Amino acid sequence: MAKKDRKTRCTIESQLEYFYKNGQHTERNGILWHAWCQNRRWLSQLLETTMGSFPTYSKHDESHAKTVLHNIEMILGEKRIAELSASDCFMLLHTVYIHDIGMVITYEDREAIVGNDKFIDMINEMEDENDPVFQRAIRALQKRDYSYEDEESREEQVKRLYSDKLEVYYAILHLIATYRRPDHGILSSERLEEWTLKPEKLGSGFSMAGIPQRIFLWIAKCAGLHADGNFQHIIDLPQEDNGYASDYLHPRFVAVLLQLGDIL
């Protein structure tokens, strides 16, 4: 690839944009760029909801995605970034922004979780542990007696009741987040697979723009493996596959970079 005349730092996103703005770009380069711009905006809004679902954890909103991308760019360096294909750039950008969407918990998710036997089993196991934070959360969740001293005024009793209910609210948030956290990588993968294979459930605002389903399924696979402790699952990914813009993409390479960027 010819050396680029750039005044700003070469990033993975600017590399994808370069393929689009280059005088020799193909229509498919433009499709990749515009699909990414639309999906970035939509995924950024979606990731904002993780703050409400995981209030006691570190941020996993767009700022986290940007940090992971920056870490990957520091690992690669500008010279190697300039050698990435358009399909690799598209895949890297999406994989980073997709990898934590499993931490987005909807109302329907919460309903399903609290009615799940595994959630009950988790709480039963935590009752036998000595973690004071979980012990307090479980006590608040299981509390049934809300009777207060008769000498307290009606107003004071209501205030105490509301305070106790607020503790229940934070307790259920904390316990649901704890339940969801270990599987969020798999859920991220499953969510994108569902959008890809079931168009009627495709996320509103998420664009596939005629790009082959195969590429989005590789993105889902790579995103899901970021929390997988078995590195052999990454090794099992193909080293190379056909890209979209008459180029190649590299699933194993993308999955490794995501793990490194996320850990750092």
Side-chain angles (χ1 to χ4, degrees), residues 207-240:
S207 172
M208 293 181 64
I211 299 166
Q213 289 183 338
R214 167 179 55 85
I215 292 178
F216 287 97
L217 292 177
W218 280 134
I219 291 170
K221 187 70 172 178
C222 293
L225 288 175
H226 84 277
D228 192 327
N230 188 345
F231 193 71
Q232 184 59 44
H233 293 158
I234 289 182
I235 298 299
D236 291 340
L237 293 172
Q239 179 180 346
E240 187 176 84

Side-chain angles (χ1 to χ4, degrees), residues 123 127 131-144 146 167-168 171 175:
I123 291 178
E127 284 187 283
D131 189 308
V133 175
F134 286 124
Q135 292 289 330
R136 179 176 178 178
I138 292 170
R139 285 196 301 270
L141 183 62
Q142 295 179 341
K143 184 176 180 179
R144 299 183 181 183
Y146 289 96
E167 191 168 357
V168 174
L175 291 169

Side-chain angles (χ1 to χ4, degrees), residues 6-29:
R6 287 174 170 167
K7 296 181 180 180
T8 58
R9 185 173 67 90
C10 181
T11 66
I12 296 170
E13 186 175 64
S14 71
Q15 173 72 355
L16 182 60
E17 184 181 20
Y18 171 79
F19 281 106
Y20 163 59
K21 290 186 175 180
N22 181 3
Q24 297 178 343
H25 85 275
T26 66
E27 180 183 1
R28 291 189 173 189
N29 291 132

Side-chain angles (χ1 to χ4, degrees), residues 11 22 25 30 32-33 36 48 61 68-69 71 80 101 121 136 154 226 236 245 251:
T11 66
N22 181 3
H25 85 275
L32 289 175
W33 171 248
W36 161 242
E48 288 298 322
D61 57 359
V68 173
L69 270 178
N71 292 340
R80 291 189 181 92
I101 62 171
D121 292 340
R136 179 176 178 178
R154 169 67 177 172
H226 84 277
D236 291 340

Side-chain angles (χ1 to χ4, degrees), residues 69-98:
L69 270 178
H70 176 72
N71 292 340
I72 291 173
E73 288 162 355
M74 294 296 289
I75 291 170
L76 291 174
E78 293 188 64
K79 183 177 178 180
R80 291 189 181 92
I81 292 173
E83 295 174 353
L84 293 174
S85 69
S87 293
D88 270 333
C89 292
F90 182 85
M91 190 173 177
L92 272 167
L93 292 166
H94 277 81
T95 301
V96 169
Y97 270 69
I98 289 288

Side-chain angles (χ1 to χ4, degrees), residues 46 49-50 52-54 101-111 113 173 176-178 180-181 191:
L46 184 64
T49 65
T50 62
S53 300
F54 290 80
I101 62 171
M103 297 179 73
V104 174
I105 305 179
T106 65
Y107 176 80
E108 290 76 13
D109 291 334
R110 293 188 179 94
E111 279 193 321
I113 289 171
L173 277 182
I176 287 178
T178 302
R180 188 66 173 266
R181 180 67 184 270
R191 187 162 278 169

